[in-house]
Amino acid sequence: MSRVMKPVDYQSVLDMQQTEQGIKMIKEFFQQNLSTELRLRRVTAPLFVLKGLGINDDLNGVERPVTFPIKDLGDTKAEVVHSLAKWKRLTLAEYHVEPGYGVYTDMNAIRADEELDNLHSLYVDQWDWEAVMTREQRNLDFLKNVVKRIYAAILRTEFLVCERYPSLKPFLPQDIHFIHSEDLLAMYPDKSAKERENLIAQKYGAVFVIGIGGKLANGEPHDGRAPDYDDWTTECCEGKKGLNGDILIWYPILGQAVELSSMGIRVDKESLVRQLKLAGEEEREQLYFHRKLLNGELPLSIGGGIGQSRLCMVLLHKAHLGEIQASIWPEEMRSECKALGMNLI
């Protein structure tokens, strides 16, 4: 069954050459703005890490990493990264980064279990970033401040794109709205999590949904999160839990909410132990990354990922990721998209 979202009367405003030029402009401008806003220095990132160290991102805990043996290491297995959530924190410690500063990198991943559609690809490219913070900053106000600064960089990039291509009109609101996932559930108790996201994003244009990973009043999490990077159990406001969240925007071309970033304040020793227990994964405490965190060898941090192709897609008013990045798509999807005016690279 086709998973292609079919925008009505879609026609790309930019041709393929203009699109490639726009992609380059967005990537260069946004990463410089992000670096300036959050005081981040660029670092080089791995494409793969050794299996069994607990460094790779487990995403929702069910996705299988692409794995291969290394001949010169006696066929020791390596895994292509899903993201760099935990690797970045190790890097902060290795580089002795001070509070108030951080790192960012171009993260390239393969997610072989991804269900392919207009917004999801086998190939994932993100700006992964991580910054050192103090114990006093582990609160919701600090998280919101960082979100606003990231959103400001997105708005500046949208302005640049629309100045360069006047046929593209800005659609993002000037301010981003904050709501806890528990409050969102209370607003729309008979809707699914994705339906709730669509409704709140359409209402405000840009939203940061707080509290992703912990169970809500209906006994279900708003969305899945691995237990060993974002802190989704610490009480942040009015007894509600979670110091993480997602940046969502309403995307009129597809008529739905689009997630641009997943981010949050990372686990400290206490929340790591608590969340591993809730997830039934206490054995992970013996892994390399987790031992270093529990031994106090890693700094407190905040971090996240911002989708490069997805940001380019929405700012260039495209209807499919395949118009932005070269990846593998089912032949049926390619044919269907071509008929709908979406020319996949």
Side-chain angles (χ1 to χ4, degrees):
M1 187 169 126
S2 173
R3 287 191 291 269
V4 174
M5 291 170 265
K6 304 174 177 65
V8 178
D9 299 325
Y10 172 72
Q11 185 174 1
S12 177
V13 177
L14 307 180
D15 62 29
M16 293 186 77
Q17 184 173 341
Q18 291 172 316
T19 298
E20 292 288 3
Q21 292 169 344
I23 292 169
K24 179 176 183 292
M25 178 178 66
I26 290 170
K27 289 188 175 183
E28 290 177 349
F29 183 81
F30 178 79
Q31 71 177 343
Q32 186 60 52
N33 270 259
L34 180 70
S35 173
T36 302
E37 278 286 354
L38 302 183
R39 295 195 288 186
L40 309 173
R41 66 192 68 166
R42 191 186 185 283
V43 295
T44 301
L47 177 60
F48 39 81
V49 294
L50 289 176
K51 183 177 181 179
L53 297 181
I55 298 175
N56 204 357
D57 183 354
D58 293 311
L59 301 176
N60 294 315
V62 296
E63 293 87 350
R64 300 169 301 169
V66 175
T67 306
F68 61 93
I70 303 171
K71 179 181 176 182
D72 271 6
L73 294 182
D75 281 348
T76 297
K77 296 290 182 63
E79 297 176 342
V80 176
V81 297
H82 278 147
S83 85
L84 298 170
K86 290 175 280 189
W87 177 88
K88 292 175 297 181
R89 200 163 174 185
L90 292 166
T91 300
L92 292 176
E94 184 178 355
Y95 289 6
H96 305 289
V97 177
E98 296 295 322
Y101 296 88
V103 299
Y104 81 94
T105 191
D106 290 298
M107 190 283 299
N108 298 289
I110 298 174
R111 297 182 181 174
D113 286 338
E114 199 72 80
E115 294 186 354
L116 308 181
D117 58 25
N118 301 55
L119 296 169
H120 298 89
S121 169
L122 298 174
Y123 168 62
V124 179
D125 53 346
Q126 293 183 169
W127 290 286
D128 253 350
W129 64 274
E130 198 85 10
V132 179
M133 60 189 296
T134 65
R135 173 66 62 179
E136 292 71 31
Q137 290 173 323
R138 297 191 84 257
N139 58 67
L140 187 61
D141 287 341
F142 180 73
L143 175 63
K144 287 183 176 180
N145 179 265
V146 174
V147 170
K148 289 177 182 177
R149 287 152 66 187
I150 293 172
Y151 187 67
I154 293 173
L155 284 181
R156 283 196 293 274
T157 308
E158 182 189 44
F159 176 79
L160 176 71
V161 172
C162 294
E163 283 284 290
R164 175 66 177 81
Y165 302 109
S167 54
L168 299 176
K169 304 303 178 185
F171 66 91
L172 294 175
Q174 287 303 299
D175 298 307
I176 187 167
H177 180 76
F178 293 87
I179 187 167
H180 196 282
S181 55
E182 197 73 75
D183 295 326
L184 190 56
L185 173 62
M187 287 176 65
Y188 308 110
D190 59 336
K191 304 295 184 182
S192 70
K194 292 303 177 187
E195 289 171 334
R196 297 195 294 271
E197 288 182 354
N198 284 332
L199 288 166
I200 200 68
Q202 186 173 22
K203 182 176 181 178
Y204 291 103
V207 185
F208 185 74
V209 178
I210 305 163
I212 310 289
K215 289 184 179 180
L216 304 177
N218 63 356
E220 301 175 358
H222 180 81
D223 201 356
R225 281 294 186 278
D228 48 11
Y229 55 101
D230 282 351
D231 188 337
W232 41 260
T233 53
T234 297
E235 289 191 6
C236 65
C237 55
E238 299 176 359
K240 301 183 184 75
K241 292 181 170 58
L243 287 171
N244 69 343
D246 292 341
I247 296 177
L248 309 172
I249 57 104
W250 177 254
Y251 191 41
I253 288 178
L254 293 181
Q256 70 165 71
V258 172
E259 177 193 319
L260 294 182
S261 176
S262 173
M263 58 172 289
I265 291 173
R266 306 308 199 186
V267 289
D268 57 10
K269 290 188 287 186
E270 293 74 22
S271 53
L272 174 63
V273 171
R274 181 167 58 245
Q275 291 178 186
L276 288 176
K277 185 175 182 180
L278 286 171
E281 297 183 9
E282 295 96 325
E283 73 280 358
R284 295 184 70 81
E285 292 180 14
Q286 304 307 314
L287 297 175
Y288 173 78
F289 170 84
H290 303 71
R291 288 201 314 272
K292 290 186 78 69
L293 178 54
L294 293 173
N295 290 337
E297 298 174 41
L298 302 180
L300 298 174
S301 68
I302 181 172
I306 302 163
Q308 294 187 14
S309 289
R310 200 174 281 192
L311 182 64
C312 292
M313 173 186 161
V314 301
L315 294 186
L316 296 175
H317 298 199
K318 300 292 185 176
H320 197 290
L321 268 182
E323 297 178 87
I324 298 295
Q325 61 164 238
S327 186
I328 296 174
W329 308 97
E331 204 54 47
E332 178 186 356
M333 181 179 289
R334 283 188 173 275
S335 300
E336 191 174 3
C337 286
K338 186 175 182 179
L340 292 166
M342 297 178 262
N343 294 310
L344 308 190
I345 299 172

